[in-house]
Amino acid sequence: MNEWQYIIVSAIVALGGWFIRSLSISGAIATIIVGTIVGIGFSWNGLILLGLFFVSSSMWSKIGKNKKKKLMEKVEKGECRDYIQVFANGGLPALISFLSLFHPSPFWLPLFLISVAAANADTWASEIGILSKQPPRLLTNFKKVEAGTSGAVTLLGTAAAFFGAAFIAAAGAVQWENISVMTIAFFGWLGSLFDTWFGAVWQAVYRCPICGMQTERKEHCGQKTVHMKGYRFVNNDVVNVLSIACSTLIYVVLSIF
């Protein structure tokens, strides 16, 4: 019976996300799938945590919309998340929830919390950091670059990443006992650093032959863009998956040794 409750609640959240244009239709369907699996694996506590991530991320995406609109041409996708974006951020938490059903262990909980914290940290860093009045700097050489450039950081964005991770960690500590807020917050924040690094080194960047803009898009101004750097198959969604996985994996390795 609980399974249906998780499906219904996830569907309500997904419908709300679609209504406010934070989710596409495919993104809403993916949200129902992820929410249901998380609910089955970690009950209402897990679903609440996932909801906090979604609601807070959607809230920050609506702030400073005028400034963000000017930068939409640089990024591959807009604020309306499709199924790939949902799975890129919620896929690992859902996988951990799924695995916990077959091999019950207290070890799964911190992994789940870290994976959600890392996703939240990256989202807060992107949505808040882009509002910084100071120009961002590329993580690899700290040279100033245009706002919205993949792999670039600002002091505001870095702080937002930590508070985003800490927000999830604190929420987890309220719902479960023996949760180290600082541990979850640190590894979640570490995920955002991985995201920035992969964005700077591996993510594909293109140049528009018409206006000269550097962008994540393969087409711009009605023309195919020219590949400049990074791997063509590594876009922002791939970077998100890798960064969340790396922060979680490092926790596993350090826990074992």
Side-chain angles (χ1 to χ4, degrees):
M1 184 63 184
N2 282 342
E3 287 81 0
W4 283 107
Q5 294 176 351
Y6 300 141
I7 293 173
I8 293 171
V9 171
S10 298
I12 292 173
V13 173
L15 183 61
W18 174 78
F19 184 76
I20 63 174
R21 298 183 179 180
S22 288
L23 293 170
S24 65
I25 294 178
S26 68
I29 294 172
T31 297
I32 296 173
I33 295 172
V34 170
T36 301
I37 296 174
V38 168
I40 295 173
F42 289 102
S43 190
W44 292 109
N45 288 352
L47 204 55
I48 289 172
L49 199 75
L50 200 65
L52 290 174
F53 160 58
F54 175 73
V55 171
S56 66
S57 299
S58 297
M59 178 191 71
W60 285 119
S61 69
K62 303 299 181 183
I63 297 176
K65 289 187 68 173
N66 290 334
K67 184 174 182 179
K68 291 175 181 177
K69 279 183 179 179
K70 299 177 182 178
L71 303 175
M72 284 295 102
E73 295 299 314
K74 290 184 67 66
V75 297
E76 183 179 8
K77 300 177 181 179
E79 65 180 57
C80 187
R81 298 177 178 86
D82 59 19
Y83 75 99
I84 297 178
Q85 290 169 290
V86 172
F87 285 138
N89 287 281
L92 187 57
L95 177 61
I96 293 170
S97 303
F98 183 76
L99 293 175
S100 71
L101 296 173
F102 295 93
H103 302 281
S105 169
F107 191 60
W108 295 114
L109 179 57
L111 298 187
F112 172 73
L113 293 174
I114 289 170
S115 64
V116 179
N120 201 54
D122 175 55
T123 304
W124 281 34
S126 299
E127 297 293 349
I128 300 174
I130 206 169
L131 301 176
S132 175
K133 295 181 179 180
Q134 301 299 320
R137 293 178 181 270
L138 203 63
L139 187 63
T140 51
N141 56 24
F142 288 98
K143 290 184 178 180
K144 292 181 180 180
V145 292
E146 294 181 355
T149 300
S150 298
V153 295
T154 63
L155 184 59
L156 178 62
T158 303
F162 179 78
F163 284 112
F167 174 69
I168 294 298
V174 170
Q175 299 183 87
W176 288 282
E177 297 180 353
N178 301 320
I179 296 298
S180 171
V181 173
M182 288 306 300
T183 298
I184 302 301
F186 171 75
F187 282 98
W189 177 73
L190 188 63
S192 72
L193 290 185
F194 275 118
D195 187 279
T196 304
W197 177 263
F198 293 146
V201 178
W202 290 352
Q203 187 171 346
V205 176
Y206 303 87
R207 180 178 57 81
C208 177
I210 304 299
C211 67
M213 175 181 285
Q214 291 188 22
T215 177
E216 298 174 6
R217 299 188 178 192
K218 295 181 180 180
E219 289 188 5
H220 197 267
C221 294
Q223 299 291 327
K224 288 186 177 181
T225 51
V226 180
H227 179 253
M228 291 182 60
K229 67 172 185 175
Y231 298 97
R232 295 178 185 272
F233 64 90
V234 179
N235 61 8
N236 188 63
D237 296 319
V238 174
V239 168
N240 286 342
V241 173
L242 290 174
S243 60
I244 296 172
C246 283
S247 60
T248 307
L249 182 61
I250 288 178
Y251 173 82
V252 172
V253 172
L254 293 179
S255 298
I256 293 175
F257 296 100

